[in-house]
Amino acid sequence: METSPAGPPHRLDPAGGCPHADNARLLALGGVAAVELPGGIEGMAVLGHDALREFLQHPEVAKDVRHFKALHEDRIAPGWPLLTFATVRGMTTADGADHRRLRSLVSRAFTPRRVDGLRPRVEELTDALLDGLAAADGVVDLRQRFALPLPMGVICELLGVDERFRDRLHRLSNQVVATDIGPEAALAANRELVAVLGEMAASKAAHPGDDLTSALIAARDEGGDRLGQEELIGTLVLLIVAGHETTLNLITNAVRALCAHRDQLDLVRSGAASWADVVEETLRWDSPVSYFPFRYPVRDLTVDGTTIPAGTPVLAGYSAAGRDKAAHGPDADRFDVTRPARADAVRNLSLGHGAHYCLGAPLARLEATVALERLFARFPDLELACAEKDLPRHASFVGNSVRELPVLLEPHA
């Protein structure tokens, strides 16, 4: 039987916060929930694991913004904080042949073989960052000093981004994924991001190198329909934002989890579990992305017994699906690095599923695994410098993490 979502729409807090309590409450009502987006825009979130898996690969669910009903009815104000997610030109807002064309232009850089070839460089960057931490005294913000510069360094090297652009790109990326940002600041951040990437692309066009940006520019300059200028900038936005924000949150969340569950850290050290197990359990238990925008049913669609009207902006509720007890068992709220491998049908979905599965997933897993193994080898007694509950949360309901990670590297020294 088809139903409407139970209860009034859940208002997503623009300031973010920890999503797990709200997720549990919503999941108790069903796998699909009505939500209120910033600006009073009606949307929906797919939260249940099985419902989300079905929705992510449904042939009548689109990514193209032309299906966003409220936008085409002029109900979305300029500077809406989620507008970039909907309108950026790139593979995350493309369907069918357009999506395959755009994805093929960058996919070769992220094959398992290519990613494995990056391991020595990831290890080198990790060790250099740890050397810098070793020279620090007192409390260190591990997010800013370690979890951020590692993936940012790797993706910028892949893209050939000059050092002079990197700090600005991270700051602007942070503003793009923020959901508590005001309209004027959102518009300014988007204009600046496009300008910085345009400057970077112009520099690469004049002085091409052996990097992904130069390859994308060559595809643009070949003419035809391979890549347009807007698609070039949109693809760079996607690669830079997704290429470091997700892994930044993943490393941050894994360190928090291990500090709060020393017994699980001991299991890894004893050989009862691997660092790869830590990464997989973190992806499930505390997904780096909470609610990812947007997908749109092209017709009224029934998912888990609930009707989602055509043109509704739908969020993928990755953090909720990771703790769905119907899929992951009655202990889904427990962080357990020895959790047995599940069948393909119930693996965690935090890096997506279907045609839009995250291209950078192998790279994110490699970076996080190397980072955690070497961090805890260098600083085995590392601990949080404050209570977990006092850590300031990420100001976004899209990203799921904390803004700072103050730690004591050698608390007993």
Side-chain angles (χ1 to χ4, degrees):
M1 182 177 70
E2 297 180 18
T3 65
S4 297
H10 169 66
R11 181 181 177 273
L12 291 168
D13 184 356
C18 182
H20 299 301
D22 282 342
N23 287 345
R25 180 177 61 80
L26 293 171
L27 276 170
L29 300 174
V32 179
V35 296
E36 180 185 319
L37 300 168
I41 301 300
E42 298 174 354
M44 299 189 84
V46 181
L47 308 160
H49 179 279
D50 291 349
L52 182 57
R53 181 183 171 91
E54 174 191 348
F55 186 75
L56 292 177
Q57 61 184 354
H58 199 290
E60 293 180 289
V61 171
K63 296 278 280 180
D64 194 308
V65 72
R66 67 189 176 90
H67 298 286
F68 190 170
K69 185 177 179 182
L71 183 65
H72 295 290
E73 291 176 349
D74 294 324
R75 291 190 281 124
I76 304 294
W80 193 56
L82 297 169
L83 196 58
T84 297
F85 287 102
T87 59
V88 65
R89 294 287 302 275
M91 69 184 103
T92 60
T93 54
D95 298 310
D98 272 346
H99 174 250
R100 290 190 292 273
R101 169 177 58 85
L102 293 166
R103 191 175 175 99
S104 70
L105 290 170
V106 298
S107 61
R108 288 187 294 274
F110 296 98
T111 63
R113 182 178 178 183
R114 287 282 184 93
V115 169
D116 196 54
L118 292 171
R119 179 179 290 274
R121 182 57 181 147
V122 172
E123 293 173 342
E124 183 181 3
L125 284 171
T126 300
D127 288 341
L129 291 168
L130 292 173
D131 288 343
L133 291 177
D137 291 324
V139 176
V140 172
D141 182 354
L142 199 70
R143 182 176 173 89
Q144 186 67 32
R145 297 281 299 273
F146 182 68
L148 164 61
L150 175 59
M152 191 66 172
V154 173
I155 195 64
C156 284
E157 287 189 10
L158 271 175
L159 291 170
V161 178
D162 290 345
E163 288 276 359
R164 62 194 172 101
F165 292 114
R166 295 185 186 184
D167 286 345
R168 286 174 74 193
L169 287 174
H170 171 63
R171 174 177 59 81
L172 294 168
S173 295
N174 236 322
Q175 291 176 296
V176 165
V177 302
T179 49
D180 67 340
I181 190 170
E184 290 183 6
L187 287 169
N190 277 280
R191 281 195 296 266
E192 187 178 352
L193 181 59
V194 169
V196 171
L197 292 175
E199 182 184 349
M200 187 184 92
S203 176
K204 279 291 165 190
H207 306 286
D210 183 19
D211 54 69
L212 187 51
T213 302
S214 297
L216 290 170
I217 290 169
R220 178 200 64 182
D221 292 347
E222 283 176 13
D225 63 353
R226 292 199 68 203
L227 189 72
Q229 175 66 12
E230 277 189 83
E231 291 174 332
L232 169 65
I233 298 300
T235 298
L236 292 175
V237 169
L238 166 65
L239 290 171
I240 288 168
V241 175
H244 85 280
E245 289 281 351
T246 301
T247 309
L248 163 59
N249 289 348
L250 173 57
I251 295 171
T252 301
N253 292 356
V255 172
R256 288 168 49 227
L258 291 170
C259 286
H261 301 83
R262 307 300 294 199
D263 60 322
Q264 300 299 301
L265 181 56
D266 290 341
L267 288 171
V268 180
R269 288 174 169 154
S270 72
S274 68
W275 290 106
D277 293 328
V278 173
V279 170
E280 292 308 307
E281 181 66 349
T282 303
L283 285 168
R284 180 200 70 82
W285 185 74
D286 206 13
S287 170
V289 175
S290 192
Y291 295 100
F292 192 78
F294 286 119
R295 284 173 167 81
Y296 319 94
V298 299
R299 64 169 177 82
D300 290 358
L301 201 64
T302 300
V303 178
D304 196 35
T306 297
T307 300
I308 305 178
T312 300
V314 182
L315 301 169
Y318 293 125
S319 61
R323 295 199 187 189
D324 182 358
K325 293 179 181 180
H328 298 289
D331 67 343
D333 288 334
R334 184 165 63 91
F335 182 72
D336 179 7
V337 298
T338 66
R339 190 175 296 275
R342 309 299 300 274
D344 284 345
V346 290
R347 290 188 188 280
N348 81 70
L349 300 172
S350 63
L351 294 174
H353 181 67
H356 285 272
Y357 180 74
C358 177
L359 260 181
L363 181 57
R365 286 184 165 101
L366 170 66
E367 291 170 342
T369 302
V370 170
L372 294 169
E373 180 176 11
R374 296 195 170 215
L375 172 67
F376 282 98
R378 182 76 73 94
F379 305 109
D381 298 319
L382 179 152
E383 64 181 35
L384 295 181
C386 67
E388 163 80 15
K389 64 180 178 61
D390 294 331
L391 293 171
R393 296 292 308 188
H394 201 357
S396 172
F397 58 71
V398 176
N400 173 43
S401 193
V402 293
R403 293 200 306 271
E404 301 168 5
L405 189 64
V407 300
L408 293 166
L409 297 171
E410 299 180 278
H412 309 304

